[in-house]
Amino acid sequence: MGFNIVVCVKQVPDTKRITGDAMKEDGTVNRAALPAIFNPEDLNALEEALAVRDAHGGTITVITMGPPNACEVLRDSYYRGADRCILVTDRRAAASDTLATSYILSCAAKKLNADLVFCGRQAIDGDTAQVGPQMAEKLGFSLVTYLEELIDLADGTVRVRRNVGNGWEDVTAKLPALVTVLDANTPRPYAARRQMKYKNAHSEGEIVARVKKAGADEAEVAKQVDALKAKGLFIESWDLDELEADLQWVGMAGSPTKVHRIQSVVLAGGEYHEFQPNDEDIAELVGNLIEDHTIG
Ligand SMILES: Cc1cc2nc3c(=O)[nH]c(=O)nc-3n(C[C@H](O)[C@H](O)[C@H](O)COP(=O)(O)OP(=O)(O)OC[C@H]3O[C@@H](n4cnc5c(N)ncnc54)[C@H](O)[C@@H]3O)c2cc1C
């Protein structure tokens, strides 16, 4: 029979490559200084969904909420095997905190009539790990966090081994369910044929930007959209109207989080000290750690 699976993926700045330019003067993230990547645990979430489809059949719809260039993670999802990808994008969603983000994503999952939703445990930029659990609450779905292994899917339930820090526990949850995934598996690589095909998949926002740059008009946008639709390469975009979202729960209005202060911490090169694997250096390292109360 197969499952109707939704995977939430987020495009994030590569926080492993942070330099002194990572933050702007006003304390916001300088996204131009950091390459945008697929949130690592969302790759694990997608892999888990692909494994379920391999074993039980069904369809995988990948959704991301973000600006038009977030389509990069959607193309990546197509290369790995997603059936359908949707960009949730709307200026009125700007300044959404995790509560508003999860509301918007839950509207999309509801519209898609999902049986199973997979999210990464957390995004490496926001790092809150709140979006998955908040989505489950809004959808009224069972919630299982920290998936280490999906053991079974049968009789309207999902059985999951979850990581609990120093060990694991097996839980059974009724479907529909939302599961957040750790780096529990090895994401499959791109399929070459899919990459050749879907590298040409674009959303309307991307087409508009491209056509504007070339100095062409709206008729050209419509022509290119129709051409992509005919080839199955048009990435759908949903706005808040399409999701029938209540505007009081989105953007600034729907975001109770208030940022009082942002501190930019940049480690200077002078703080870097390399220890060699010899007795003398190890003794010095342990001495330093005791001195600053990290150990002892
Ligand atoms: C006051 C405030 C204002 C903000 N304003 C903005 C803003 O204007 N623009 C902006 O881009 N961000 C903004 N943010 C950040 C934004 O709220 C978070 O990035 C977002 O809510 C996700 O939270 P997180 O990164 O902690 O995700 P987590 O909860 O750590 O993510 C868990 C999982 O949820 C899923 N997920 C999370 N976000 C998305 C997404 N966007 N699409 C699909 N799946 C997702 C992924 O599967 C992810 O692994 C703001 C945050 C605050 C607190």
Side-chain angles (χ1 to χ4, degrees):
M1 122 216 161
F3 294 96
N4 193 3
I5 308 166
V6 169
V7 184
C8 297
V9 309
K10 184 181 180 190
Q11 189 182 51
V12 291
D14 188 352
T15 49
K16 277 200 189 126
R17 299 205 206 168
I18 286 196
T19 62
D21 305 332
M23 302 295 281
K24 294 192 216 159
E25 293 269 301
D26 63 2
T28 57
V29 176
N30 181 8
R31 289 180 192 267
L34 294 168
I37 59 165
F38 205 119
N39 182 52
E41 287 179 345
D42 299 352
L43 283 175
N44 299 111
L46 176 58
E47 177 55 36
E48 217 49 53
L50 291 164
V52 168
R53 193 190 59 191
D54 290 347
H56 302 274
T59 56
I60 297 173
T61 305
V62 174
I63 53 176
T64 192
M65 173 176 141
N69 57 9
C71 281
E72 214 49 71
V73 290
L74 297 181
R75 277 185 284 277
D76 193 318
S77 303
Y78 271 130
Y79 303 159
R80 294 173 199 269
D83 297 297
R84 182 181 178 191
C85 291
I86 299 167
L87 173 72
V88 176
T89 191
D90 195 309
R91 282 184 186 280
R92 293 168 293 178
S96 290
D97 69 3
T98 64
L99 206 60
T101 303
S102 59
Y103 170 67
I104 297 166
L105 291 173
S106 68
C107 290
K110 196 165 156 195
K111 187 173 161 83
L112 289 163
N113 219 358
D115 304 311
L116 250 180
V117 178
F118 287 104
C119 289
R121 172 195 46 169
Q122 74 187 57
I124 59 169
D125 56 344
D127 255 348
T128 66
Q130 291 172 357
V131 169
Q134 288 172 344
M135 276 182 77
E137 198 269 338
K138 289 175 200 323
L139 287 162
F141 281 18
S142 312
L143 168 68
V144 184
T145 52
Y146 298 180
L147 174 144
E148 200 171 273
E149 184 191 341
L150 196 151
I151 303 167
D152 198 18
L153 253 174
D155 305 326
T157 64
V158 58
R159 189 159 173 76
V160 170
R161 176 159 297 176
R162 53 187 301 273
N163 184 310
V164 289
N166 294 326
W168 47 260
E169 67 175 359
D170 292 348
V171 294
T172 304
K174 274 193 189 151
L175 297 181
L178 184 146
V179 181
T180 74
V181 182
L182 298 169
D183 56 347
N185 51 42
T186 306
R188 67 194 63 185
Y190 296 168
R193 278 187 184 203
R194 294 185 69 89
Q195 187 177 7
M196 290 307 290
K197 175 175 176 187
Y198 287 106
K199 69 180 184 190
N200 299 314
H202 294 288
S203 68
E204 185 161 358
E206 290 178 303
I207 296 168
V208 168
R210 195 168 62 191
V211 165
K212 253 191 191 169
K213 211 170 161 191
D217 58 6
E218 273 182 24
E220 180 58 25
V221 173
K223 199 174 124 197
Q224 292 196 18
V225 166
D226 287 345
L228 287 186
K229 276 185 180 165
K231 293 183 201 153
L233 294 174
F234 182 62
I235 298 179
E236 293 163 76
S237 302
W238 286 357
D239 64 11
L240 295 174
D241 298 328
E242 198 133 1
L243 293 177
E244 294 179 25
D246 184 335
L247 296 185
Q248 67 173 311
W249 302 120
V250 308
M252 195 68 93
S255 300
T257 314
K258 298 286 170 264
V259 180
H260 291 291
R261 192 165 65 96
I262 293 175
Q263 196 177 356
S264 175
V265 179
V266 178
L267 297 176
E271 294 169 47
Y272 174 81
H273 187 131
E274 195 171 328
F275 294 92
Q276 298 303 321
N278 57 47
D279 290 349
E280 199 181 317
D281 276 24
I282 290 169
E284 189 190 342
L285 171 64
V286 172
N288 289 352
L289 292 174
I290 291 172
E291 206 171 289
D292 73 6
H293 304 292
T294 305
I295 58 172

